[in-house]
Amino acid sequence: ACGQGLDRGPPTRRLCPDCCSELAATGRALCPHCGAMANPSLVDQRGCPRCRHRKLRFHGVVSLGTYDGPLRRAVLRMKRPPGEALTIAVTHLLCDHASLQIANWDIDLVVPIPMHWTRRWVRGTNSAEVIAQVVARRHTLPIAARALVRRRKTKPQFNLHPNERIRNIHSAFRLSAGYPFSAARVLLVDDILTTGATCNEAAKVLRTAGATHVAVAVLARAEG
């Protein structure tokens, strides 16, 4: 993350103490339903003011921190193949901080948000898939990396208004054949969650297929 020299060690220890503290948003109050920063006094079983009146298809969110500063710079580096080692190291940090929550969800299967094949070809990597692989290994869970397919090339979400994001991603995913999701508890994985439109659409597809519980794990939660 910062280039400081380290003694060789396992991937779980390939970040220096300074980067670990800068990348993880310890002490920040986050809504357990949508993952946004929220005053604890304004959060109840329905969520926070940001998500209380939205129909979210997922049941909870864990993230390493907010999408700013060092974490934002790290996530942007992960979007190209040279950043895969950083993706692995930061995801181990996420697992260190979110292991209890993920265990409490009693997950059956890990599913990454898919990238359209043309964008994957240009970028050379899908950081969501790398993150999902690490999370699955750390929690000894099966991964269905090809269960969700992006059926069409959508516009990048980052420069769209929230309502435009919902329209842009509508019906963008489908399930591949041969993946039974009946009564499954699924952990949906991506690098960033902003308005939640992408994860919400993917969760809708999974729940329509029979999944009873869909939770979300991301590295960064952006305040869209």
Side-chain angles (χ1 to χ4, degrees):
C2 70
Q4 178 177 310
L6 295 172
D7 294 332
R8 292 187 66 85
T12 52
R13 296 291 178 268
R14 288 183 184 165
L15 293 170
C16 71
D18 288 342
C19 284
C20 287
S21 62
E22 289 179 347
L23 292 170
T26 55
R28 296 182 181 179
L30 304 175
C31 172
H33 193 192
C34 72
M37 285 193 295
N39 186 327
S41 64
L42 300 178
V43 177
D44 57 27
Q45 69 275 13
R46 298 172 299 162
C48 70
R50 280 179 176 266
C51 67
R52 188 171 294 143
H53 303 293
R54 293 183 61 196
K55 188 175 183 180
L56 295 181
R57 307 295 183 130
F58 50 83
H59 298 88
V61 176
V62 291
S63 67
L64 188 56
T66 53
Y67 185 61
D68 56 20
L71 184 55
R72 179 180 183 275
R73 292 193 292 272
V75 170
L76 290 174
R77 284 172 56 188
M78 296 173 192
K79 294 184 180 294
R80 293 290 184 269
E84 287 191 4
L86 179 59
T87 306
I88 293 169
V90 176
T91 304
H92 278 294
L93 185 61
L94 170 67
C95 292
D96 291 341
H97 284 263
S99 60
L100 181 60
Q101 180 62 69
I102 294 174
N104 287 341
W105 281 328
D106 195 21
I107 297 298
D108 298 313
L109 189 66
V110 179
V111 176
I113 291 290
M115 183 180 289
H116 192 265
W117 71 268
T118 56
R119 190 163 291 146
R120 173 68 179 264
W121 181 74
V122 170
R123 284 191 178 178
T125 187
N126 178 9
S127 53
E129 188 172 326
V130 178
I131 296 164
Q133 290 168 350
V134 175
V135 171
R137 284 198 301 269
R138 280 288 298 268
H139 292 272
T140 321
L141 293 168
I143 180 173
R146 300 292 181 267
L148 276 177
V149 176
R150 196 175 286 250
R151 65 168 79 230
R152 58 185 172 81
K153 186 177 180 180
T154 56
K155 297 177 182 178
Q157 292 277 80
F158 67 87
N159 58 357
L160 298 178
H161 183 275
N163 289 335
E164 293 176 323
R165 291 179 183 224
I166 295 172
R167 290 193 295 270
N168 182 50
I169 206 70
H170 180 67
S171 298
F173 302 112
R174 64 171 176 83
L175 281 179
S176 296
Y179 289 93
F181 282 96
S182 179
R185 299 177 66 86
V186 180
L187 183 64
L188 195 59
V189 176
D190 205 358
D191 53 357
I192 310 167
L193 186 145
T194 306
T195 63
T198 300
C199 287
N200 211 38
E201 186 67 24
K204 182 175 72 173
V205 173
L206 293 169
R207 294 187 66 181
T208 300
T212 56
H213 186 278
V214 179
V216 176
V218 293
L219 295 184
R221 176 59 162 93
E223 297 297 320

